[in-house]
Amino acid sequence: MSDKYDVIVIGAGPAGYVAAIRAAQLGLKTVCIEKWRNEEGKGVNGGTCLNVGCIPSKALLDSSYKYHEAKEELKVHGITTKDVGIDVPSMIERKANIVKQLTGGIGALFKANGVTSLFGTGKLLSGKKVEYTDHDGKTQTLEADNVILASGSSPIDIPVAPVDEKVIVNSTGALEFTEVPKRLGVIGAGVIGLELGSVWSRLGSDVVVLEAMDDFLAVMDQQIAKESFKILSKQGLDIRMSCRVTGSEVKGKKVTVTYTDKDGKDQKETFDKLIVCVGRRPYTEGLLSGDSGVNLDERGFIHVNEVCATDAPGVWAVGDVVRGPMLAHKGSEEGVMVAERIAGQKTQMNYDVVPNVIYTHPEIASVGRTEEQVKKDGEPYNIGTFPFAASGRAMAANETAGLVKIIAHADTDRILGCHIVGPSAADLVQQVAIAMEFGSSAEDLGMMVFGHPTLSEAVHEAALAVHGHAIHVANKKKRK
Ligand code: FAD
Ligand code: AMP
């Protein structure tokens, strides 16, 4: 093995492994270094997303929803169930098997594409050199024309609730409970807190979510956020806004959390488990030597330009470790962009059309700008909404909660954003994302033929409603 490469990628999460595969597809001699180890101490690819993030959380969300559905949701269809039970260790094992299969699959993809896969730690030195230390501590120096940093992120710890991996856990620990906690506290009503809170609530936990902010899902479209709050509260999630956690005390197998409530009063709650989900921070520990030439910004992200080039020539950075939303697909697309740029192409990424999903039930999904953002930007806009309660397909499925909202520019009619809470929102929002990529107007979307009966018809109707032309709901504004 020669130690000179075209591309060295550090980190094999969805940003790094995708960058490595695309680089190799383009004929570049590529190596990907990954330091993650599984419980047996073996190196594994896949990063946060495959090991402890997107995939395992969705596996548990799906399992827990099936349990909830069998117990609570089938009656309405005339189906009776008896003795519906759960076996948490089996659920966790199923999730672990999916993780194993997918992380192993990356090794196969690397092989198929000719990517050299190394397990161990990479450290960027000056002059595009990388010090590689394997898991036995053996070190060698690799060189490349280009280096891609994709070291990801890690959960934020807060001193008022230090993780002990027994009673107080972060998102990783919350994927490993071996029994359903009777009372579960969650700090942070963000994406991860809501998803993990939902998993254990469906399995029977009494879940209290404590959130410091005044507005629920503050960065989302507030009409959709308010609707989502109502739906999730009705499901039994006790979400307490304007509640800042100030301390915690573990006694035996329980934890007592102190917090200030919306009136500034001190409150206390005791839980069997506490999940800390207060966000994630970029991870650069041990990644950069002092003279690497790569700079961090004031929040600890690797500083990059609009095409992910760092301040050091030939060194790029992608994924959670750089600015922008911490989403797997955002990192993957950056990985593709960088690999193609290294190969001499002029690829750019459209950061205005990155879908974002919260996998509660129903799902909450968005793409583009919120109404609040468009208003702040001072642009004139029209809105079209369509409630799932008016959708035949949603009714057939007994999934009528929520709505589709489309925002279009008042002068050009170009779609500026779409926000959905409702059944299959993740897949529905992608349809609007595709339309937005092609510069679609609301009228264009309204002129397309949608299959019947589908949930997609709700997207069609919302687009029609932008101009007061919705058919299956009374239009707020009437236009010819
Ligand atoms: P990571 O996936 O964190 O991968 C970085 C890799 O680099 C790691 O494997 C790490 O070991 C390795 N590494 C770091 N430093 C070094 C070094 N010096 N040498 C070698 N290797 C190194 N996003 C979504 O889009 N959809 C979801 O549904 C979703 N759900 C989530 C659920 C949970 C519970 C969590 C925690 C996250 C979720 N995310 C989701 C976020 C998503 O996981 C991240 O955005 C994504 O993993 C970021 O990819 P990345 O490649 O930048 O970093
Ligand atoms: P996200 O960044 O989407 O994962 O969301 C994390 C959430 O945790 C944010 O909405 C924060 O406001 C919230 N948060 C952070 N610290 C605290 C705290 N001490 N008490 C309650 N909520 C918090």
Side-chain angles (χ1 to χ4, degrees):
M1 181 179 71
S2 139
D3 293 336
K4 173 88 205 221
Y5 292 88
D6 294 322
V7 181
I8 298 172
V9 182
I10 302 182
Y17 83 73
V18 170
I21 290 174
R22 187 68 191 118
Q25 283 174 354
L26 290 160
L28 299 165
K29 186 178 172 196
T30 305
V31 59
C32 187
I33 306 170
E34 171 54 61
K35 74 173 181 183
W36 201 292
R37 289 209 237 189
N38 65 14
E39 282 153 5
E40 294 121 48
K42 280 205 182 125
V44 277
N45 292 310
T48 302
C49 169
L50 264 55
N51 287 291
V52 295
C54 321
I55 298 298
S57 59
K58 264 81 260 177
L60 292 186
L61 277 158
D62 285 341
S63 294
S64 61
Y65 192 73
K66 284 193 191 300
Y67 169 69
H68 166 79
E69 195 172 32
K71 241 180 117 206
E72 312 286 343
E73 304 288 336
L74 295 181
K75 291 180 198 81
V76 71
H77 293 275
I79 301 168
T80 47
T81 51
K82 243 201 269 169
D83 303 331
V84 179
I86 29 173
D87 174 354
V88 178
S90 298
M91 233 176 238
I92 301 292
E93 195 186 329
R94 187 190 87 96
K95 175 216 69 172
N97 286 335
I98 296 168
V99 169
K100 204 168 171 192
Q101 214 174 318
L102 285 171
T103 50
I106 299 202
L109 289 173
F110 277 170
K111 220 180 217 166
N113 285 282
V115 175
T116 302
S117 175
L118 296 178
F119 290 116
T121 305
K123 179 178 190 169
L124 181 71
L125 311 175
S126 66
K128 293 178 282 183
K129 286 195 181 74
V130 170
E131 181 186 273
Y132 162 60
T133 308
D134 71 15
H135 285 321
D136 297 325
K138 219 173 95 211
T139 294
Q140 59 175 306
T141 303
L142 312 177
E143 271 182 75
D145 293 330
N146 286 276
V147 179
I148 305 176
L149 306 172
S151 54
S153 62
S154 57
I156 293 177
D157 297 317
I158 43 174
V160 289
V163 168
D164 65 3
E165 300 295 1
K166 289 187 192 110
V167 186
I168 307 180
V169 298
N170 59 27
S171 60
T172 302
L175 297 167
E176 298 294 339
F177 293 160
T178 47
E179 56 187 67
V180 180
K182 205 162 171 318
R183 268 181 78 67
L184 172 66
V186 177
I187 309 181
V191 180
I192 296 174
L194 293 176
E195 290 188 4
L196 295 174
S198 293
V199 165
W200 295 104
S201 159
R202 289 168 193 169
L203 296 178
S205 292
D206 274 337
V207 178
V208 177
V209 185
L210 300 169
E211 168 57 58
M213 306 263 273
D214 299 331
D215 294 326
F216 182 60
L217 297 175
V219 295
M220 300 210 58
D221 187 278
Q222 283 304 291
Q223 183 181 2
I224 297 297
K226 287 197 172 86
E227 189 64 25
S228 305
F229 185 85
K230 271 193 237 154
I231 296 171
L232 297 178
S233 301
K234 214 167 138 196
Q235 288 172 5
L237 277 185
D238 181 354
I239 308 168
R240 302 183 191 169
M241 302 304 296
S242 315
C243 290
R244 175 167 291 278
V245 173
T246 51
S248 61
E249 193 186 355
V250 176
K251 263 200 192 148
K253 291 185 170 179
K254 291 192 192 283
V255 54
T256 299
V257 171
T258 44
Y259 64 95
T260 49
D261 71 9
K262 59 179 182 340
D263 303 316
K265 287 204 185 105
D266 291 334
Q267 302 284 359
K268 260 187 199 179
E269 281 283 358
T270 298
F271 302 111
D272 299 292
K273 296 273 185 201
L274 179 67
I275 314 177
V276 181
C277 301
V278 294
R280 299 179 63 81
R281 63 159 58 100
Y283 179 77
T284 52
E285 220 176 282
L287 178 70
L288 306 168
S289 68
D291 58 356
S292 72
V294 169
N295 296 308
L296 305 184
D297 68 17
E298 62 286 354
R299 294 166 60 212
F301 290 94
I302 294 179
H303 179 257
V304 288
N305 68 9
E306 66 289 354
V307 292
C308 293
T310 70
D311 298 331
V315 180
W316 311 74
V318 293
D320 279 10
V321 79
V322 302
R323 84 284 176 267
M326 285 187 168
L327 294 168
H329 43 286
K330 172 262 189 186
S332 298
E333 283 314 302
E334 287 177 334
V336 169
M337 170 175 71
V338 165
E340 294 183 351
R341 287 203 153 244
I342 290 172
Q345 300 178 13
K346 294 273 172 259
T347 314
Q348 279 191 327
M349 185 178 152
N350 184 0
Y351 284 96
D352 293 337
V353 186
V354 178
N356 198 337
V357 181
I358 306 176
Y359 291 86
T360 44
H361 195 104
E363 294 166 347
I364 307 164
S366 70
V367 66
R369 281 185 282 167
T370 61
E371 184 175 353
E372 290 72 25
Q373 284 168 326
V374 175
K375 211 180 261 175
K376 202 165 146 227
D377 293 342
E379 285 177 48
Y381 62 92
N382 289 318
I383 283 178
T385 58
F386 189 80
F388 285 101
S391 151
R393 190 73 188 87
M395 240 181 257
N398 194 41
E399 296 272 5
T400 51
L403 73 152
V404 178
K405 172 173 181 176
I406 290 180
I407 307 168
H409 197 282
D411 302 332
T412 62
D413 196 34
R414 197 180 173 123
I415 300 173
L416 303 175
C418 175
H419 309 277
I420 306 177
V421 52
S424 301
D427 295 293
L428 296 184
V429 94
Q430 190 62 43
Q431 302 180 4
V432 182
I434 294 168
M436 287 173 74
E437 270 294 341
F438 288 112
S440 170
S441 64
E443 188 183 28
D444 289 332
L445 201 53
M447 283 165 73
M448 285 177 196
V449 182
F450 282 69
H452 174 76
T454 57
L455 294 170
S456 302
E457 286 171 302
V459 170
H460 188 217
E461 291 273 0
L464 288 169
V466 169
H467 299 293
H469 299 167
I471 301 295
H472 293 92
V473 75
N475 288 288
K476 286 202 181 93
K477 92 176 71 143
K478 295 209 167 57
R479 294 237 199 109
K480 289 221 169 119

